[in-house]
Amino acid sequence: MKPFLEAIQTKLATIPALKYIDEDSGQMDSYSPNPPAKFPCALIDITAMNFSNIGKDNTADPINRQTGEGTVTFIIGNMKLSNTSQRAPQSQKDNAWSIWTIIDDLHKAVHGWKPIAESGALMRTSHKRIRRDDGIQEYQITYSVGFANV
């Protein structure tokens, strides 16, 4: 999984707005109001993986071969310091809505993309907002992915 995560991290580095890209190790948990991340950030996690046996290959290590299907979750976080009310100045609204551009850029970068030769393409399966009380906008976007002969 290390090459898979490294490839994703490298791909997300092409999104200039992201200031922090890392594996999710709980940076957004219980650190209110100062999580150990720069904003806007993208955190990556392999949140579930299921495997099926497909036989043996005595030339491989390990010899038992499997396919896998799982989910990769991206947490996109940003500190929202301004509002988006109708009467707010446009520059203030643009700044407050910047997380949506980042989410769109992430989707364009990874949806349908194969991070490594052994993986299938990442395909979006869900998107949800995480409610917080500290001014941080947080969204979880989940993608499914398959692996062959692992």
Side-chain angles (χ1 to χ4, degrees):
M1 291 296 141
K2 179 184 170 192
F4 179 76
L5 290 169
E6 289 173 331
I8 292 172
Q9 192 173 39
T10 300
K11 187 73 160 179
L12 294 186
T14 65
I15 301 171
L18 290 172
K19 304 257 187 282
Y20 183 86
I21 303 164
D22 199 358
E23 187 174 8
D24 182 6
S25 59
Q27 295 94 322
M28 301 297 284
D29 302 336
S30 303
Y31 287 103
S32 224
N34 298 307
K38 290 184 179 182
F39 294 108
C41 69
L43 305 175
I44 311 157
D45 196 11
I46 299 169
T47 48
M49 192 63 66
N50 295 307
F51 295 94
S52 298
N53 294 323
I54 58 172
K56 293 184 178 186
D57 179 350
N58 291 328
T59 64
D61 183 25
I63 63 171
N64 294 303
R65 308 298 5 184
Q66 296 182 307
T67 58
E69 289 188 23
T71 56
V72 177
T73 299
F74 296 92
I75 294 176
I76 305 301
N78 197 20
M79 184 66 73
K80 186 174 180 179
L81 300 175
S82 55
N83 70 58
T84 54
S85 85
Q86 178 59 36
R87 297 195 187 268
Q90 188 60 47
S91 61
Q92 183 176 322
K93 291 193 287 189
D94 291 344
N95 186 45
W97 280 331
S98 66
I99 196 165
W100 295 107
T101 301
I102 294 167
I103 290 169
D104 188 48
D105 289 347
L106 175 132
H107 182 66
K108 288 175 184 173
V110 302
H111 186 71
W113 171 67
K114 288 179 59 171
I116 59 173
E118 297 82 11
S119 77
L122 291 164
M123 301 302 285
R124 183 175 53 190
T125 57
S126 70
H127 174 126
K128 72 178 185 176
R129 178 178 157 220
I130 306 302
R131 287 195 174 269
R132 299 181 63 102
D133 62 3
D134 57 5
I136 296 173
Q137 291 176 295
E138 183 177 344
Y139 290 89
Q140 288 183 353
I141 302 102
T142 303
Y143 289 78
S144 65
V145 66
F147 290 88
N149 204 23
V150 292

